[in-house]
Amino acid sequence: MVSITNSSDTPQRSAKRLSENGRSAATSSVRSAPKRPLVADQTSTQRAIEYLLALKGENAYKLLANAGLKPRGTKVQAYDRLRSGVASGKISLEQIQQWLEEVEGWGNHQVHFFDVTDSVCDRLSSKRKAVSVLSKLDLGHLLDGERPLWPEQAPAIFRVSFQESKLRVGWAQERIWKRREESEDYQDGDLWFNAYRIQHRRCFHYFELDTVTGKSSLIMSKLPSGDKYSDLKEKLLGDLDPIVSINGLQMVDLRPAVLALESSDKVLRRRLNLITNEQTKIEIISNAIDHDAYDDPSIRKARKQWAGDVAASRGHFFWQITTGEVSRLIGTKLLPRENRFSIEGQCSETEVAYVLQ
């Protein structure tokens, strides 16, 4: 069953109250939901600022500078200034939400690639057909849906969109983890209590399908810890099934991809795991993040001698991305055993699209 964003805690109840009046009308016909005003209560403000500060510090500093507030300092100072800015009216929750829309949600993803059958693509090959599918499933309110400012802890679909030949399904989720806060530790008799601060972060998952090529990708936000991506994958594909039949999806084998990237001049080979015909493992690591492992003549010579007796089994690659006058490296990992591709660090949607292509 498709899960739809709903509400439980204080900021989410606020969002639900604002949306209840328009939900019944939205489900009766397929159209985009209108923007709703936000309620700047203490919990809502705190949570929205936490989401912003979970990103690169420069994002909060730019928002403070635009509001005429002191931009530099620690994240704790940025938090206090943002909260004061909202209280004084110099910064609105809508501004924080708009800023999050621009900078949040891409990078730090784990990706599975799929080939999709012609029948599945034909069913969704135009916006008209996609709208019809959503309408029949009583999911019309998901068309071009608005990102929830306060998602649930379980991933829930909030948007289905169609542009040119590409279908995108988006999930929102709030991730929670603990950060050690030693300054709040205390002792009570013979007991010592260690303090942890609960951290919140808004994250997004996507399924993208090109109905012309039949290529698709499931783009999962990185977990705070652990590697239970198989559980997350099954949850998302289960949600997706009524819209895009998962029986028509065939996961792409990434073993040929790691072989291709090992010999590619489009990437920097930071770390390579090689394996021999006898299953002996070899690890090669370059001497710096911006250096290619095969720039070392000794490594290049040894790899040539190994030739067909050794193959790359996984790799850590960096892509040089240039946007305007800014050039930077984006780290990725190719994990063929799990058929999973990892994009590391906060990115723009354009950067992620380039790497995935």
Side-chain angles (χ1 to χ4, degrees):
M1 179 175 291
V2 176
S3 55
I4 311 302
T5 47
N6 48 36
S7 307
S8 58
D9 62 20
T10 301
Q12 290 152 326
R13 286 199 299 270
S14 299
K16 184 177 181 180
R17 287 196 299 271
L18 292 169
S19 65
E20 282 176 343
N21 294 335
R23 176 54 59 88
S24 59
T27 54
S28 63
S29 61
V30 179
R31 64 172 182 268
S32 301
K35 286 281 187 179
R36 298 183 292 272
L38 299 174
V39 179
D41 58 64
Q42 182 177 355
T43 306
S44 303
T45 301
Q46 176 179 330
R47 191 63 52 81
I49 293 173
E50 277 190 68
Y51 294 157
L52 182 61
L53 292 177
L55 307 175
K56 289 181 180 178
E58 64 189 51
N59 296 303
Y61 301 148
K62 287 179 182 178
L63 183 56
L64 286 167
N66 291 345
L69 299 171
K70 186 177 180 180
R72 290 299 167 187
T74 66
K75 283 200 171 185
V76 172
Q77 291 170 325
Y79 175 87
D80 291 337
R81 290 170 192 159
L82 287 166
R83 188 171 60 177
S84 298
V86 172
S88 65
K90 292 182 178 180
I91 299 174
S92 67
L93 270 185
E94 283 80 4
Q95 286 176 300
I96 296 177
Q97 183 183 38
Q98 290 168 5
W99 199 262
L100 286 170
E101 288 277 349
E102 292 180 20
V103 301
E104 180 193 37
W106 292 96
N108 288 315
H109 279 108
Q110 307 288 314
V111 186
H112 290 293
F113 298 98
F114 298 90
D115 289 323
V116 183
T117 61
D118 291 342
S119 60
V120 171
C121 291
D122 289 344
R123 181 171 175 260
L124 299 161
S125 60
S126 68
K127 186 168 185 176
R128 178 184 59 80
K129 289 184 178 181
V131 166
S132 176
V133 168
L134 291 177
S135 183
K136 289 176 182 178
L137 293 170
D138 198 26
L139 298 176
H141 57 282
L142 293 179
L143 182 69
D144 299 327
E146 182 183 344
R147 283 187 180 191
L149 184 52
W150 304 287
E152 293 291 332
Q153 291 184 40
I157 295 177
F158 70 94
R159 177 188 296 160
V160 178
S161 59
F162 193 96
Q163 188 171 7
E164 297 177 352
S165 64
K166 294 180 176 60
L167 177 84
R168 175 184 289 175
V169 179
W171 288 258
Q173 180 181 12
E174 183 180 70
R175 289 268 168 78
I176 295 178
W177 71 99
K178 297 182 297 184
R179 188 188 71 192
R180 189 76 171 87
E181 194 88 357
E182 294 183 10
S183 62
E184 298 296 328
D185 291 353
Y186 68 93
Q187 185 175 0
D188 184 0
D190 291 334
L191 297 176
W192 181 265
F193 293 86
N194 290 337
Y196 294 83
R197 185 171 297 278
I198 301 299
Q199 300 290 293
H200 303 83
R201 180 166 188 164
R202 196 171 68 154
C203 62
F204 300 93
H205 319 286
Y206 305 97
F207 175 83
E208 297 192 337
L209 167 64
D210 188 322
T211 60
V212 173
T213 65
K215 302 297 183 183
S216 71
S217 52
L218 181 65
I219 307 170
M220 305 177 292
S221 184
K222 188 176 182 180
L223 295 171
S225 62
D227 57 357
K228 294 183 179 179
Y229 290 104
S230 59
D231 294 343
L232 178 58
K233 179 190 69 175
E234 294 306 315
K235 161 63 177 168
L236 299 183
L237 290 179
D239 285 353
L240 182 69
D241 192 41
I243 303 169
V244 181
S245 174
I246 62 173
N247 290 331
L249 274 59
Q250 179 65 46
M251 189 176 292
V252 174
D253 185 351
L254 292 183
R255 285 174 294 182
V258 74
L259 301 179
L261 283 178
E262 187 200 6
S263 59
S264 173
D265 60 359
K266 297 182 182 296
V267 295
L268 288 174
R269 292 153 290 198
R270 168 61 168 158
R271 181 193 300 255
L272 286 163
N273 293 82
L274 310 177
I275 191 166
T276 71
N277 292 335
E278 300 298 324
Q279 302 302 298
T280 300
K281 297 178 181 179
I282 305 166
E283 185 174 55
I284 299 172
I285 306 174
S286 67
N287 61 1
I289 193 172
D290 57 348
H291 287 187
D292 189 293
Y294 289 154
D295 284 344
D296 185 326
S298 299
I299 296 298
R300 194 165 59 245
K301 180 180 178 180
R303 183 67 183 95
K304 187 175 181 179
Q305 290 175 337
W306 294 331
D309 296 327
V310 174
S313 60
R314 60 189 293 169
H316 186 184
F317 305 97
F318 280 88
W319 303 72
Q320 188 81 42
I321 305 292
T322 302
T323 305
E325 297 181 355
V326 179
S327 183
R328 71 187 189 98
L329 292 172
I330 293 178
T332 63
K333 291 181 181 177
L334 196 56
L335 311 169
R337 181 174 294 181
E338 297 91 359
N339 274 330
R340 180 158 46 88
F341 182 72
S342 171
I343 302 176
E344 301 177 335
Q346 186 182 330
C347 302
S348 68
E349 181 177 350
T350 301
E351 290 169 334
V352 169
Y354 175 82
V355 171
L356 293 184
Q357 287 172 358

